[in-house]
């Protein structure tokens, strides 16, 4: 058995405010292989790292990001909601965020909104494209990515494509499972088809992690990194 690569979901979001430089640094500190983050543009087309369509939940502002200028977004505090020690954390501009990742950690970009080609080019100019991949819940963005920037590696969800065969037909590079559709048979079938297997799980049930390890999942897109590594280590020691 081989250790799974760790993808930190929105950065190390249990110990720092999600989708910030602080959560990125914490992800690097705990040894994550990849940072997952979300991207949206402001009204004037500047790409930012933020999950929600509105800034209400994760900043001291209110309203839709797409209705705000970059000057307005840059003034927001994206850390105080999580803890006073993070006061003053900005909503990261994507270009600056990628600069902070460069040479330190690989990237998984979930495009909530924005031009896939622009994001691809921002990665490529920094020499980061080879270790990056993308996904979007928006079908139009997924189609645009495949058509316009086929060299930008793409992930698909098993619960959307429904089979390994369809993932391959869509030229996917990574197939992500959730706890309710994860089976050892599907994982092995995906690997044989040349896909990288990944699992997203935001919870903390050790039995879910145990299944992922025993089934041979290669990448874990998770929040509870220490718990997963503990489960993984116990299984490896028992098998030794």
């Amino acid at each position: 058995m081989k250790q799974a690569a760790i993808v930190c979901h929105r950065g190390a979001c249990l110990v720092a405010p999600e989708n910030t430089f602080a959560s990125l640094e914490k992800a690097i500190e705990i040894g994550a292989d990849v940072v997952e983050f979300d991207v949206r543009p402001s009204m004037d087309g500047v790409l930012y790292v933020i999950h929600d369509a509105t800034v209400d939940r994760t900043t001291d502002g209110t309203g839709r990001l797409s209705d705000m200028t970059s000057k307005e977004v840059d003034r927001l505090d994206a850390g105080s909601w999580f803890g006073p020690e993070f006061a003053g954390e900005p909503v990261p501009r994507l270009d600056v965020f990628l600069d902070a990742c460069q040479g330190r950690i690989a990237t998984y970009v979930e495009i909530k909104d924005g031009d896939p080609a622009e994001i691809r080019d921002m990665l490529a100019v920094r020499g980061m494209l080879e270790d990056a991949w993308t996904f979007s819940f928006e079908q139009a963005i997924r189609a645009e990515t495949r058509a316009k920037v086929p060299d930008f590696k793409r992930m698909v969800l098993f619960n959307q494509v429904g089979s390994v065969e369809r993932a391959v037909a869509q030229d996917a590079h990574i197939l992500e499972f959730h706890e309710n559709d994860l089976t050892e048979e599907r994982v092995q079938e995906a690997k044989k088809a040349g896909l990288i297997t990944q699992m997203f799980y935001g919870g903390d049930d050790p039995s879910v992690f145990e299944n992922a390890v025993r089934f041979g999942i290669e990448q874990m897109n998770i929040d509870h990194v220490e718990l997963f590594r503990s489960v993984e280590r116990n299984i490896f020691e028992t098998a030794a």
Side-chain angles (χ1 to χ4, degrees):
M1 288 186 282
K2 183 180 177 182
Q3 259 199 341
I6 295 295
V7 182
C8 260
H9 179 235
R10 305 181 198 174
C13 65
L14 297 183
V15 294
E18 66 178 62
N19 281 324
T20 62
F21 292 109
S23 65
L24 167 64
E25 293 302 324
K26 293 291 186 181
I28 293 170
E29 281 180 26
I30 64 177
D33 302 282
V34 184
V35 60
E36 183 271 348
F37 55 92
D38 307 280
V39 172
R40 295 179 180 275
S42 62
M43 184 170 64
D44 50 344
V46 175
L47 291 168
Y48 283 92
V49 176
I50 186 170
H51 181 274
D52 297 2
T54 67
V55 302
D56 301 48
R57 181 176 64 86
T58 58
T59 81
D60 60 346
T62 59
R64 295 182 65 84
L65 185 83
S66 59
D67 293 334
M68 305 175 75
T69 67
S70 54
K71 285 185 178 180
E72 291 172 322
V73 179
D74 290 341
R75 288 196 292 263
L76 296 173
D77 179 341
S80 292
W81 69 273
F82 191 89
E85 67 272 32
F86 297 105
E89 275 287 324
V91 180
R93 290 188 176 216
L94 177 58
D95 58 352
V96 184
F97 192 83
L98 292 180
D99 287 341
C101 295
Q102 188 177 17
R104 305 172 71 206
I105 193 167
T107 54
Y108 160 23
V109 189
E110 184 183 323
I111 306 175
K112 295 295 187 183
D113 191 14
D115 180 359
E118 181 181 2
I119 296 167
R120 177 260 178 220
D121 291 348
M122 292 172 75
L123 288 160
V125 76
R126 291 169 174 80
M128 298 170 65
L129 188 62
E130 180 63 29
D131 294 325
W133 72 88
T134 188
F135 169 74
S136 179
F137 281 100
E138 298 296 327
Q139 194 279 331
I141 293 176
R142 296 198 302 272
E144 185 180 9
T145 305
R146 183 181 180 189
K148 290 174 61 175
V149 281
D151 61 341
F152 196 175
K153 294 175 184 174
R154 289 173 298 101
M155 188 189 84
V156 296
L157 305 185
F158 186 87
N159 67 13
Q160 288 182 334
V161 297
S163 70
V164 170
E165 184 179 16
R166 287 185 180 176
V168 172
Q170 292 185 18
D171 301 316
H173 299 85
I174 298 167
L175 180 58
E176 185 175 81
F177 297 93
H178 293 167
E179 60 179 306
N180 60 346
D181 55 37
L182 180 70
T183 69
E184 186 170 14
E185 182 182 36
R186 288 169 178 169
V187 171
Q188 297 310 315
E189 183 185 359
K191 287 182 177 181
K192 288 177 182 177
L195 296 167
I196 296 170
T197 57
Q198 180 168 299
M199 181 182 187
F200 170 74
Y201 179 56
D204 60 358
D205 182 348
S207 68
V208 176
F209 288 147
E210 288 171 8
N211 284 338
V213 175
R214 295 187 190 282
F215 296 169
I217 284 285
E218 296 160 285
Q219 299 181 169
M220 292 295 295
N221 181 17
I222 54 177
D223 298 332
H224 296 270
V225 176
E226 290 186 12
L227 176 59
F228 173 77
R229 283 300 194 210
S230 175
V231 170
E232 183 183 55
R233 188 164 51 250
N234 289 340
I235 291 174
F236 285 4
E237 290 173 354
T238 302

